[in-house]
Amino acid sequence: MIRVAVAGCAGRMGSAVVDAVTAAEDMEIVCGIDPHASGKADAFPVFATVTEALDAVEADVLVDFTQPAVVAANLAVALPRGVDCVVGTTGLATATLEELAASAADGTCLFYAPNFTTGAVLMMEFARAAAPYFPEAEVIEFHHCNKKDAPSGTAVRTAQMIAEARSPRVSAAPGRETEMPGAEGARGALVDGVPVHAVRSMGYVASQEVIFGSLGQTLTIRHDSWDRTSYMPGVLLGIRSVGEREGLIVGLETFMD
């Protein structure tokens, strides 16, 4: 049995992770971590901090779906103790991930996925394949109004993949010079030269469009997640896979071979 600790266990994503792990035959929840729900769960203990949790129980994997402001501190505790980490909290810079991975005990894995849905991973891979053939690309992401970061980690990663696929040609967003005074940013935030637009509204869970354009044609690639259960097969795949890896691994596609 894989012993799993869930940080952010009382949140929307954390609760879905708890349900998915509980239903899996090859893993078990040994504890939760949530400062707003410590001691409240019936099936397992809940601690206020990762330090308290790992002092009290033995865990093989820490799954983190907390907040961008606290995730790095959680990982800084777990990784040196040899606890593999599966991270779905976005907002971490690549340099921060690399620094955290360098602090890990030998044989320990830090796995970070901007998105855990197989459809979103395929959307990004299709965008990578299309990028060299279209001079223009835009990313539009749609999320619920309570999302803590903008743009989303998926959108940032998609833009980076588009830019990488075009290299050595540099991505250049047309039309920045047309932005009206006082409305700078109307053409979106530039991520490696690719405009990224973030929509926040009730009614969405997570959706994204990648729009490519060239002379006389457009190509639109879209993925929609309507329920958080869509992330759970990817989360379970990450939990099952990190024990055989070490160091920093980014992207669910690494485990989808």
Side-chain angles (χ1 to χ4, degrees), residues 4-9 30-34 38 44-62 74 77-78 81 83:
V4 181
V6 180
C9 63
V30 293
C31 74
I33 299 103
D34 197 304
S38 58
F44 51 84
V46 179
F47 301 93
T49 68
V50 173
T51 299
E52 293 175 11
L54 298 184
D55 283 344
V57 303
E58 292 188 11
D60 301 311
V61 179
L62 172 69
N74 290 344
V77 173
R81 295 190 182 212
V83 179

Side-chain angles (χ1 to χ4, degrees), residues 131-132 134-137 161-172 194 212:
F134 290 85
E136 298 173 4
M161 292 170 69
I162 290 170
E164 291 166 2
R166 289 174 166 178
S167 182
R169 180 166 62 89
V170 177
S171 296
V194 178
F212 290 100

Side-chain angles (χ1 to χ4, degrees), residues 173-190 195-197:
R176 298 289 289 187
E177 69 284 354
T178 67
E179 293 176 340
M180 299 298 293
E184 290 80 7
R187 287 287 296 114
L190 291 184
V196 177
H197 312 265

